[in-house]
Amino acid sequence: MKLARFAVDGKTAIGVVDAEKGTVQALAPHADDMVRIVEAHAQPAQTLKTAGPIRALAEVAILAPLHAPRRNIICVGKNYREHAVEFARSGFEAGAVAGAEVDAYPAVFSKPASTICAATDAVSLHAQATSAVDYEGELAFVIGKRGKDILKENAYSHIWGYVAINDVTARDRQRNHKQWFLGKALDRFCPMGPWIATADEVDAENLTLKTWVNGELRQNANTRDLLFDIPTLVATISSGLTLEPGDIIATGTPVGVGIGMKPPVFLKTDDVVTIEVTGLGRLHNRFF
């Protein structure tokens, strides 16, 4: 099941998407808070019902599917080997050591909820704050069942669904401040969507992720190449930290970001970044 949050006739709703037919139908009863849907429906394919008109996706405004998580988005860095190498060699990783590009443990940071925007929203380059904006296409997952100290073998039972994101990054701020939050936290620096696909219909260990900039393919990878797989991330992050329904965890970006080019190529006004993950639809955001 694919769930999108959308606006039509001045109202917002959550509905079930039929990607092949290009339609969406609102849930019954009416709902517009995805976190509450996640909390209330551990098995959404069996319990969620629809009612009312079936609308063409082209006739509604698709919003960020999970626009108001109760906590920061939890993110993982350097989780594909080739990207870890390109980052370390780029000069933008503070403290990078040659020969030690791949970490022994997952690198974890966060983005505030204020970074979230929709799959087609325009995103500011924030020229007053940075001159080095980069893209990072990623797979993220949404926690559905509360848990702490979750074992790897139980990890997937805590995941409600999956969504594509762009972990937009100000590389100069990331480097200069010697930590990642300030480079990751600018407004609208996390385009998300266009929908969340529930876990029952996603093979998270075999998803193709592609990113284009102005139609040029930059990233092309598969989630089977994650250095730290999803069960490892769930077990590591939940060790001593209770994960709650609606928590979002992003799994990291593959090789092909702007800092990996020689010389680095950053986003500029009117660039369009398109990100596609198997079964999760496309992000298509213009930068200004």
Side-chain angles (χ1 to χ4, degrees):
M1 182 176 289
K2 298 175 176 65
L3 294 177
R5 183 169 161 268
F6 64 97
V8 64
D9 298 331
K11 298 179 180 179
T12 61
I14 293 171
V16 176
V17 171
D18 186 323
E20 292 185 0
K21 294 180 179 178
T23 61
V24 63
Q25 186 177 23
L27 296 178
H30 175 270
D32 62 4
D33 184 343
M34 192 71 77
V35 174
R36 292 192 178 187
I37 293 294
V38 172
E39 286 179 318
H41 300 274
Q43 297 178 315
Q46 300 176 20
T47 57
L48 290 172
K49 306 297 182 184
T50 56
I54 297 174
R55 302 178 184 272
L57 289 173
E59 298 174 351
V60 304
I62 299 297
L63 309 174
L66 211 165
H67 70 299
R70 294 170 186 169
R71 297 201 287 200
N72 281 9
I73 304 158
I74 301 169
C75 303
V76 178
K78 302 191 297 181
N79 202 20
Y80 289 82
R81 184 175 301 276
E82 290 183 61
H83 171 64
V85 172
E86 75 172 347
F87 184 35
R89 293 177 179 175
S90 70
F92 283 85
E93 182 183 11
V97 178
E101 296 88 356
V102 176
D103 295 334
Y105 300 94
V108 181
F109 59 95
S110 75
K111 296 172 79 80
S114 55
T115 60
I116 294 175
C117 66
T120 58
D121 280 350
V123 179
S124 173
L125 291 168
H126 297 285
Q128 80 286 0
T130 176
S131 60
V133 176
D134 207 350
Y135 54 87
E136 293 192 4
E138 302 193 17
L139 169 71
F141 57 88
V142 179
I143 295 296
K145 184 171 70 174
R146 189 174 188 267
K148 183 173 73 171
D149 302 325
I150 300 168
L151 299 176
K152 288 184 184 181
E153 56 265 33
N154 297 329
Y156 282 115
S157 69
H158 288 263
I159 296 174
W160 190 84
Y162 297 86
V163 64
I165 74 161
N166 185 353
D167 176 19
V168 184
T169 305
R171 296 297 186 189
D172 44 4
R173 290 166 67 89
Q174 183 181 35
R175 176 194 59 200
N176 295 345
H177 293 277
K178 298 182 174 57
Q179 47 74 44
W180 293 5
F181 183 80
L182 289 180
K184 303 283 189 173
L186 282 69
D187 291 349
R188 291 197 169 196
F189 262 28
C190 190
M192 176 186 296
W195 53 69
I196 299 173
T198 53
D200 56 290
E201 64 173 48
V202 177
D203 179 3
E205 296 181 4
N206 184 26
L207 298 176
T208 297
L209 187 157
K210 295 182 179 181
T211 302
W212 296 261
V213 178
N214 301 327
E216 176 191 359
L217 182 63
R218 297 277 186 88
Q219 294 182 294
N220 186 1
N222 191 285
T223 55
R224 62 174 169 261
D225 296 324
L226 288 170
L227 287 169
F228 302 102
D229 62 14
I230 290 172
T232 298
L233 297 181
V234 172
T236 300
I237 294 168
S238 72
S239 180
L241 169 65
T242 302
L243 294 177
E244 301 285 355
D247 283 349
I248 304 165
I249 299 176
T251 60
T253 200
V255 69
V257 297
I259 55 169
M261 303 177 75
K262 303 296 183 185
V265 177
F266 299 111
L267 296 175
K268 59 184 184 303
T269 299
D270 289 330
D271 279 353
V272 175
V273 178
T274 303
I275 295 168
E276 180 180 84
V277 180
T278 308
L280 303 184
R282 280 189 167 201
L283 305 173
H284 192 73
N285 302 95
R286 181 182 68 83
F287 285 74
F288 68 94

